[in-house]
Amino acid sequence: MGTRSAPVIITGSSLSLSYVTGRGENLPLLGEPLSMIDGAVRPPATYLDAEEILQRQFLASVIDRMMRESDFEHLLKSWVYLDNHDTERLASALATDAQRQLAQVLQFTLPGSPNLYYGGEIGMAGGNDPEMRAPMRWDLVTPDNPTLRWTKQLIALRKKHRALKVGNFRLVTTDRLLGFE
């Protein structure tokens, strides 16, 4: 059994403690996150690996800091976009459906107005210029397109819950999730 000082404890092949406590400036600073782990970690498929946990905590700390240091009223009036005419399209930038869906959940639930670049709702791909500016793929606009169905679910969720449009933001400390209310 190998252990290191908190926040991460490794026992056998599972990560038994998977979160860093603290908020904002009180979060421990990590130069090389994986240096905290002594030995190989091969968690079962149901566990997140240490790198994924630290990446999620970093994302949570960035979002938390943005919310604390920004004028919240201006954030509510800002566009939240994941791609546009000057960037690689989301379907090309993120490799898996799970990554794209997580990014879109944040886009539709964080303060601000979600802004979809044409074709994003149907999963249109496109790399660097001029690929991201390709014409709309109307052939992908079908009822069985999973990305379109997912986007419609996110739109319905946002419409249904007023708090997602005008509510406050508070980060919730969790073990394995990015949580906010």
Side-chain angles (χ1 to χ4, degrees), residues 114-127:
N115 186 317
L116 297 174
Y117 183 48
Y118 78 91
E121 72 280 11
I122 57 171
M124 236 175 96

Side-chain angles (χ1 to χ4, degrees), residues 5 8 18 21 36 56 67 73-74 93 106 112-113 120 124 142 156 158 167 169 171 178:
S5 61
V8 179
S18 62
T21 58
M36 299 170 56
R56 290 179 185 204
M67 295 303 156
E73 290 301 315
H74 284 109
L106 292 173
S113 179
M124 236 175 96
T142 61
R158 188 171 174 90
F169 178 90
L171 194 65
L178 170 62

Side-chain angles (χ1 to χ4, degrees), residues 71-138:
D71 176 7
F72 195 74
E73 290 301 315
H74 284 109
L75 280 176
L76 289 175
K77 297 172 187 170
S78 299
W79 287 346
V80 181
Y81 61 89
L82 300 173
D83 55 7
N84 64 37
H85 66 281
D86 287 326
T87 65
E88 186 175 19
R89 288 183 173 274
L90 183 66
S92 297
L94 298 178
T96 67
D97 288 340
Q99 291 172 331
R100 289 188 292 273
Q101 288 179 345
L102 177 60
Q104 290 169 312
V105 165
L106 292 173
Q107 179 184 29
F108 277 83
T109 58
L110 289 173
S113 179
N115 186 317
L116 297 174
Y117 183 48
Y118 78 91
E121 72 280 11
I122 57 171
M124 236 175 96
N128 293 321
D129 201 10
E131 293 174 15
M132 79 286 248
R133 300 171 194 232
M136 177 69 171
R137 293 278 315 271
W138 293 106

Side-chain angles (χ1 to χ4, degrees), residues 10-73:
I10 305 298
T11 55
S13 64
S14 68
L15 189 59
S16 60
L17 179 63
S18 62
Y19 60 94
V20 176
T21 58
R23 182 176 173 147
E25 294 82 32
N26 297 322
L27 284 171
L29 297 176
L30 304 173
E32 178 56 50
L34 295 180
S35 67
M36 299 170 56
I37 298 172
D38 186 15
V41 179
R42 294 188 183 98
T46 57
Y47 293 130
L48 299 173
D49 66 25
E51 184 175 13
E52 177 71 14
I53 291 163
L54 293 171
Q55 286 173 348
R56 290 179 185 204
Q57 291 165 351
F58 175 74
L59 175 62
S61 70
V62 168
I63 292 170
D64 182 51
R65 183 174 181 184
M66 180 181 72
M67 295 303 156
R68 286 184 294 110
E69 294 180 0
S70 299
D71 176 7
F72 195 74
E73 290 301 315

Side-chain angles (χ1 to χ4, degrees), residues 165-181:
K165 294 179 271 190
V166 297
N168 259 335
F169 178 90
R170 184 173 71 91
L171 194 65
V172 177
T173 303
T174 65
D175 291 19
R176 297 179 182 205
L177 305 171
L178 170 62
F180 54 96
E181 59 182 11

